Amino acid sequence: AGLGGRNLSGRGPGNEVGNDNFSVRWAGTFNFDDGDYTFTAWADDGIRVWVDDTRIVNGWQDQPPTRYQVRRNLRHGIHGVRVEYYENSGGAVAFLQWQSDNTDPDDNRVISSGETLWGTIEPADDLDTYYFDATQEQRATIRMTKSSFTPSLNSYLIFYAPDGSEIARDDDSGGGWNALINRVPLPQTGRYRIEARSYAGSSTGLYSLRLTLQQPGQPNRE
């Protein structure tokens, strides 16, 4: 599971920058607890990553979507993270995530209607949990889509009511979605749970999760 990502999904960064022949630098400061962290970067083309003033990833070259992974021990406090990236031609992929070796930051996240969150299934038996609040008779649509640069992920969704009963599950729904629970009427008011995983715990990869809530009678606009 992952935290702190940037995904270009084959496009440029916007603001009149084209899809090819550009470079980007992202930088920020983040609070870390004591412990070991795994940093994972994907890139097409070149990527470099620093934590504080130490370079931990050096993939500064033209390449297809490629994963880099490194483990670092960090002391409690504020640390700077910097990413430099360039795109030459073809696809554009730039993504960085990190996670504590003791926690899964994709667990127990709250997702809102109209929001898209990124997560990672890794290892293959990883199970990510999401929650949202809704009222009875609203309709919920949940889409889980594997990233174009982790095509081996076989996405799988399970959806639960506030009382813990299972409402729906889906593997391969077609239509370009890897897993889709579509316009399901909600049986009660409360907090619902989504489980995102790989089918039969057989694959890993990056995915996006999107939630849409609709009122009764509201037309489907997605």
Side-chain angles (χ1 to χ4, degrees):
L3 175 68
R6 293 279 188 173
N7 179 36
L8 298 181
S9 299
R11 301 183 298 272
N15 296 322
E16 299 184 356
V17 177
N19 293 337
D20 294 313
N21 301 310
F22 64 86
S23 61
V24 183
R25 176 184 292 137
W26 293 287
T29 55
F30 304 88
N31 187 47
F32 290 83
D33 293 326
D34 281 325
D36 293 322
Y37 290 81
T38 298
F39 289 78
T40 305
W42 286 271
D44 175 351
D45 291 297
I47 192 167
R48 295 187 291 218
V49 180
W50 284 262
V51 175
D52 297 323
D53 293 324
T54 301
R55 187 173 62 192
I56 63 171
V57 172
N58 186 24
W60 205 247
Q61 59 196 4
D62 289 0
Q63 59 193 330
T66 302
R67 184 176 75 166
Y68 297 87
Q69 195 166 68
V70 64
R71 195 170 180 228
R72 299 287 296 179
N73 181 268
L74 297 177
R75 300 294 300 272
H76 173 75
I78 301 297
H79 295 270
V81 178
R82 185 170 86 253
V83 179
E84 294 182 353
Y85 167 76
Y86 82 84
E87 159 61 13
N88 188 2
S89 61
V93 172
F95 194 91
L96 173 68
Q97 64 175 16
W98 57 86
Q99 70 176 66
S100 167
D101 290 358
N102 299 318
T103 62
D104 185 345
D106 281 343
D107 279 347
N108 303 319
R109 286 200 283 174
V110 176
I111 185 170
S112 301
S113 180
E115 185 176 19
T116 299
L117 298 177
W118 286 91
T120 305
I121 301 298
E122 192 169 357
D125 62 355
D126 185 22
L127 184 156
D128 296 337
T129 54
Y130 299 83
Y131 293 89
F132 67 90
D133 296 311
T135 57
Q136 186 177 8
E137 296 185 356
Q138 283 186 299
R139 292 181 178 269
T141 297
I142 307 163
R143 295 177 169 91
M144 182 180 180
T145 310
K146 64 187 176 183
S147 165
S148 61
F149 56 96
T150 55
S152 63
L153 177 63
N154 188 356
S155 305
Y156 194 70
L157 282 173
I158 308 178
F159 181 35
Y160 296 92
D163 63 7
S165 60
E166 182 180 317
I167 298 175
R169 63 174 61 201
D170 188 71
D171 176 21
D172 295 312
S173 61
W177 302 103
N178 305 120
L180 172 64
I181 294 173
N182 192 29
R183 291 176 57 81
V184 174
L186 303 183
Q188 54 192 276
T189 298
R191 173 154 287 195
Y192 287 79
R193 184 171 94 252
I194 302 166
E195 291 183 357
R197 58 174 74 187
S198 69
Y199 181 74
S202 59
S203 57
T204 63
L206 180 71
Y207 67 88
S208 64
L209 188 79
R210 181 171 177 81
L211 170 69
T212 304
L213 294 176
Q214 296 171 305
Q215 300 297 330
Q218 181 180 353
N220 186 6
R221 296 180 180 177
E222 290 197 283

